[in-house]
Amino acid sequence: MEIFNMRILVFFLISFAALGLHAAEKYDLILLNGRLLDGSGNPWIYADVAIEGERIAAIGDLSDAAADRIIDAAGLYVAPGFIDTHSHGAAGLGNAKRAAAGNLLKQGVTTIFVNPDGGGATDLVAQAERFESHGTGVNFGQMVPHGSVRAKVVGREDRHATEEEMEQMRALVREGMEAGAFGLSSGPFYAPGSFAPTSELVELSKVASEFGGVYQSHIRDESDYSIGVVKAVDEVIEIAEQAELPGIVTHIKVLGPRVWGYSAALVHRIERARARGIEVFADQYPYHASQTSLSAGLVPRWALDGGRSRFLERMKDPEDRARIREDMIDNLDRRGGGARILISSFAQEPELAG
């Protein structure tokens, strides 16, 4: 299946809403009495939908029309396929068994965007070819992952990139955008993205902006780990303004009791920026739990400077180990304590799951 094109989506949705009763009077399938959401942002309306083959053939009052199959959708919503703008499903799409696509389709998700939070493949052409070699079952869009780009060029050290390294990273972002990416994703909460200054994110976002792309960010701090959640949202606004592209605070949240109540401030910041003409948005998942790795959630970033090998060296040093442990205890409290942490999987000791 080819990479999904948002312009096609918009055209489809407009056409979807504008279809009339000009097709055949007998259809393969009719959905009767549903509350129709056409995806354009309009309120739902009562309308029937007729399907002929793989196409929507008519929309309107089809109560007198005939079909091989009729489904009464009274009390239900009828909508185009849902778009998951932030999916970690790339590994599943790369699996020939297509297990991820089946799970997605059962939830009505027909399009996903991969490589979020600054992580994922940097060679988007190879990634797309891998997906398409066996079919994905869903449409997909790609993001250029800043953290992976930085790791490839700069490594995992806590330092600023040289100008030569900046040029290499710009080139990688440009290659990704030319390959069809929809924008730059970042995760400055995670190492090594956390080692990048705002100015680096601005410069790379400018490349995405040249192609009409967006900047989507797992923000630098969703609690009070470092700069605080309010300033982290301000950073997205600053990047969107300076790079002149839409900025997205992805899976917006206030993480942990220490910052509960700050949500109003975040909304105010975004609304104020939008009133100034800056394109800033936020997306949010519909549940009150998050998922990440224990190292990302608990291990201090200074301990991850240099990557896994340096972290393991620090763990062998008694002073560093004691400091890491102290910071991890503080981070555990920051997230609401051990009762709020659930180990979902652990390859080395599977019995710890749960």
Side-chain angles (χ1 to χ4, degrees):
M1 187 172 293
E2 294 185 354
I3 297 175
F4 196 81
N5 187 308
M6 189 61 72
R7 294 182 180 89
I8 294 175
L9 171 68
V10 173
F11 176 79
F12 166 74
L13 293 178
I14 293 172
S15 301
F16 181 87
L19 279 170
L21 289 173
H22 56 269
E25 295 183 359
K26 175 111 186 274
Y27 306 100
D28 293 333
L29 172 66
I30 293 178
L31 304 174
L32 285 178
N33 306 317
R35 299 174 179 180
L36 180 65
L37 288 158
D38 64 16
S40 65
N42 294 323
W44 64 265
I45 60 172
Y46 279 115
D48 307 322
V49 179
I51 298 171
E52 186 70 27
E54 297 182 352
R55 301 284 180 178
I56 295 172
I59 294 176
D61 182 359
L62 304 176
S63 55
D64 294 331
D68 295 331
R69 185 184 180 197
I70 295 177
I71 296 176
D72 187 354
L76 302 176
Y77 292 97
V78 178
F82 298 119
I83 302 171
D84 183 350
T85 64
H86 183 107
S87 173
H88 292 273
L93 290 191
N95 187 325
K97 295 181 180 179
R98 293 180 291 179
N103 294 336
L104 293 166
L105 292 170
K106 289 176 182 176
Q107 299 175 76
V109 175
T110 57
T111 302
I112 67 171
F113 283 82
V114 299
N115 306 329
D117 296 337
T122 56
D123 187 340
L124 300 194
V125 172
Q127 183 184 52
E129 289 176 349
R130 186 170 68 254
F131 291 167
E132 294 172 340
S133 65
H134 52 71
T136 61
V138 291
N139 301 302
F140 66 90
Q142 296 164 289
M143 303 294 286
V144 180
H146 164 259
S148 298
V149 168
R150 188 175 222 271
K152 185 171 184 177
V153 175
V154 181
R156 296 186 173 275
E157 290 78 29
D158 185 0
R159 65 174 178 84
H160 286 201
T162 65
E163 186 50 45
E164 181 181 353
E165 289 168 335
M166 283 300 304
E167 281 303 314
Q168 293 177 40
M169 287 194 286
R170 289 188 187 98
L172 283 175
V173 174
R174 181 165 282 105
E175 287 176 11
M177 295 304 297
E178 289 174 344
F182 282 76
L184 180 73
S185 84
S186 78
F189 173 73
Y190 299 104
S194 58
F195 304 141
T198 303
S199 58
E200 178 177 309
L201 296 170
V202 169
E203 289 305 307
L204 297 183
S205 293
K206 286 180 179 178
V207 178
S209 179
E210 294 173 16
F211 295 82
V214 303
Y215 172 73
Q216 179 196 59
S217 181
H218 179 127
I219 57 178
R220 195 174 293 273
D221 193 349
E222 296 175 326
S223 182
D224 63 346
Y225 279 92
S226 55
I227 64 174
V229 63
V230 176
K231 288 185 178 179
V233 169
D234 285 342
E235 182 181 45
V236 175
I237 294 170
E238 178 182 350
I239 292 167
E241 182 173 24
Q242 292 192 24
E244 298 182 345
L245 82 175
I248 302 166
V249 180
T250 196
H251 49 56
I252 191 169
K253 67 175 77 69
V254 286
L255 180 64
R258 297 185 188 182
V259 292
W260 286 350
Y262 282 37
S263 54
L266 306 187
V267 173
H268 174 68
R269 286 294 206 284
I270 292 172
E271 289 181 339
R272 190 171 63 183
R274 290 172 62 83
R276 290 195 291 120
I278 304 171
E279 283 193 90
V280 185
F281 304 89
D283 61 52
Q284 184 181 50
Y285 47 63
Y287 37 86
H288 55 261
S290 63
Q291 180 180 9
T292 191
S293 66
L294 280 176
S295 61
L298 300 183
V299 176
R301 292 298 171 266
W302 66 264
L304 299 175
D305 179 10
R308 178 177 173 80
S309 60
R310 288 289 292 118
F311 170 66
L312 293 177
E313 289 176 13
R314 293 185 180 101
M315 288 291 284
K316 295 176 182 178
D317 180 275
E319 291 186 7
D320 280 346
R321 184 183 178 91
R323 183 183 168 195
I324 290 170
R325 184 179 187 277
E326 183 177 344
D327 285 352
M328 288 181 69
I329 290 172
D330 188 43
N331 287 337
L332 187 62
D333 176 75
R334 178 175 278 112
R335 300 182 79 92
R340 293 185 180 274
I341 303 293
L342 177 70
I343 297 176
S344 59
S345 64
F346 187 56
Q348 288 79 2
E349 298 182 55
E351 67 274 10
L352 293 180

